[in-house]
Amino acid sequence: VQLQASGGGLVQAGGSLRLSCVASQRTYSSHLMGWFRQAPGKEREFVAVIRWGTGRTYYTDSVKGRFTISRDQAKNTVYLQMNDLQPDDTAIYYCARATSYSTIAKEYDYWGQGTQVTVSS
């Protein structure tokens, strides 16, 4: 399975971006699609996850109310709408797929290549 992430860029604080991640093979209802991010010098951290079948979502506290994860099953694509972006959100954002619910990166078996998000103050 290949995951292709896109949509990153440079934005001013308070701005918005929408990330997309398309999977090369069908995503099944039992799968979970997650977004992680990694800032320079920091470990990769969990951002959000969605269960493909039910659409149930979960977010890390720092993005609740600002970020929204969603999926388009027909397009086999997961999105991350990011609003009110702040400089602390600057990172490379990765999409990933897991077969069981987790917020831990090592539990995800397939990863996209990452897309850079830079937020200027």
Side-chain angles (χ1 to χ4, degrees):
V1 177
Q2 292 185 335
L3 303 178
Q4 182 71 37
S6 62
L10 173 64
V11 64
Q12 290 186 334
S16 298
L17 285 173
R18 188 177 81 155
L19 306 183
S20 301
C21 174
V22 59
S24 63
Q25 296 182 18
R26 179 182 173 185
T27 305
Y28 291 91
S29 59
S30 59
H31 287 146
L32 296 103
M33 295 297 294
W35 286 97
F36 289 76
R37 64 187 180 185
Q38 188 166 18
K42 295 186 176 181
E43 294 186 354
R44 192 168 298 189
E45 67 169 349
F46 167 79
V47 176
V49 63
I50 186 167
R51 185 173 290 278
W52 200 254
T54 63
R56 186 171 183 176
T57 60
Y58 181 76
Y59 301 88
T60 191
D61 285 346
S62 63
V63 308
K64 285 180 181 177
R66 301 188 298 125
F67 291 13
T68 303
I69 188 171
S70 63
R71 89 280 194 232
D72 185 326
Q73 293 175 309
K75 294 181 178 180
N76 220 26
T77 300
V78 62
Y79 303 98
L80 186 68
Q81 177 66 44
M82 306 185 294
N83 298 328
D84 191 24
L85 283 160
Q86 300 300 316
D88 284 349
D89 296 315
T90 295
I92 299 174
Y93 283 70
Y94 299 89
C95 59
R97 194 191 79 176
T99 54
S100 60
Y101 176 80
S102 178
T103 62
I104 301 173
K106 67 180 182 180
E107 300 295 324
Y108 286 71
D109 49 6
Y110 293 100
W111 289 82
Q113 84 286 5
T115 184
Q116 176 71 49
V117 172
T118 304
V119 185
S120 63
S121 58

